[in-house]
Amino acid sequence: GAGVSQTPSNKVTEKGKYVELRCDPISGHTALYWYRQSLGQGPEFLIYFQGTGAADDSGLPNDRFFAVRPEGSVSTLKIQRTERGDSAVYLCASSLTGGRWFFGPGTRLTVL
Amino acid sequence: DAKTTQPPSMDCAEGRAANLPCNHSTISGNEYVYWYRQIHSQGPQYIIHGLKNNETNEMASLIITEDRKSSTLILPHATLRDTAVYYCIVITTRGGANSKLTFGKGITLSVRP
């Protein structure tokens, strides 16, 4: 079956613009995670959904970052008023009640 | 979740075994040891996990010390495609807020021809 997919694979935007990053988890996986990875660092946790609700959003850096998962499957990470420091690879993972986490290939965001 | 300590890098020759160490001296009794790897420009990939017994699968073996304070990931016959960053993570796998993976910097394994 298909793994976790993320779109777009690359996104270039200008400082101050709004962006949306999409994650399609493995079908049936109830848990969905967003991570951010800067060059040379390990992935950094942003937010975790269990079903439709955000169970833990403690990793969101500020209120410019927001994520939704309205039907408990696809999730969108939204970044308002992008800054150059937001440039990173954004990773999505899904899991079936923990145990194993499956990661997507990531979206590389570049803010000019 | 308990923290882990890994050396920053190591290398090994192609075809030889790669032994990647990890220290997790504060691990709790209900925490598992997970290993993930990340090949350049890809998302992290699951390798193996264990609680206290040694584990083996088609990718690797995981050796956990009896006191569970450290473990070793063994790639029995390393290939050039095994060049990657390897992350050792300890975590409970209950649902809820404790079920997120927390990554450190990992260990960069370079397999040389």
Side-chain angles (χ1 to χ4, degrees):
Chain A
V4 178
S5 62
Q6 294 187 245
T7 54
S9 55
N10 281 283
K11 176 71 177 178
V12 180
T13 190
E14 294 180 343
K15 180 176 178 294
K17 300 290 188 183
Y18 168 83
V19 296
E20 290 189 351
L21 312 178
R22 176 186 169 108
C23 172
D24 283 82
I26 293 173
S27 178
H29 279 195
T30 55
L32 185 146
Y33 306 77
W34 283 99
Y35 286 81
R36 176 170 71 174
Q37 187 170 26
S38 301
L39 194 62
Q41 303 296 316
E44 173 191 20
F45 170 78
L46 295 177
I47 186 170
Y48 151 53
F49 288 89
Q50 185 62 254
T52 60
D56 182 350
D57 64 359
S58 61
L60 295 178
N62 51 59
D63 61 5
R64 295 187 297 106
F65 288 74
F66 189 70
V68 296
R69 195 186 185 199
E71 298 179 355
S73 56
V74 171
S75 176
T76 304
L77 178 66
K78 308 180 181 193
I79 310 174
Q80 298 177 321
R81 304 183 303 279
T82 51
E83 301 177 356
R84 293 195 179 89
D86 299 335
S87 296
V89 175
Y90 289 81
L91 294 161
C92 176
S94 71
S95 171
L96 188 60
T97 65
R100 278 181 67 170
W101 291 258
F102 296 83
F103 284 81
T107 293
R108 181 175 298 278
L109 175 66
T110 302
V111 181
L112 300 177
Chain B
D1 294 323
K3 293 183 178 179
T4 63
T5 304
Q6 300 177 258
S9 63
M10 67 175 291
D11 62 14
C12 76
E14 189 176 21
R16 304 298 293 268
N19 299 293
L20 286 70
C22 180
N23 287 323
H24 31 79
S25 59
T26 59
I27 192 170
S28 299
N30 62 350
E31 288 182 313
Y32 290 75
V33 179
Y34 274 76
W35 283 83
Y36 274 74
R37 75 178 181 184
Q38 190 170 25
I39 295 170
H40 183 62
S41 296
Q42 297 182 21
Q45 174 192 22
Y46 169 84
I47 301 174
I48 199 167
H49 75 281
L51 183 62
K52 51 185 177 182
N53 296 323
N54 298 336
E55 302 287 345
T56 295
N57 63 21
E58 66 280 2
M59 291 182 70
S61 294
L62 174 61
I63 308 299
I64 303 174
T65 58
E66 192 169 342
D67 64 7
R68 302 207 326 122
K69 293 186 177 182
S70 65
S71 60
T72 301
L73 178 74
I74 301 172
L75 308 178
H77 306 287
T79 72
L80 298 179
R81 290 173 297 188
D82 292 322
T83 292
V85 179
Y86 288 76
Y87 297 98
C88 170
I89 302 166
V90 293
I91 187 170
T92 59
T93 57
R94 295 191 302 267
N98 287 334
S99 66
K100 61 181 185 277
L101 293 172
T102 301
F103 291 84
K105 291 191 174 182
I107 177 172
T108 299
L109 173 67
S110 299
V111 180
R112 60 181 187 275

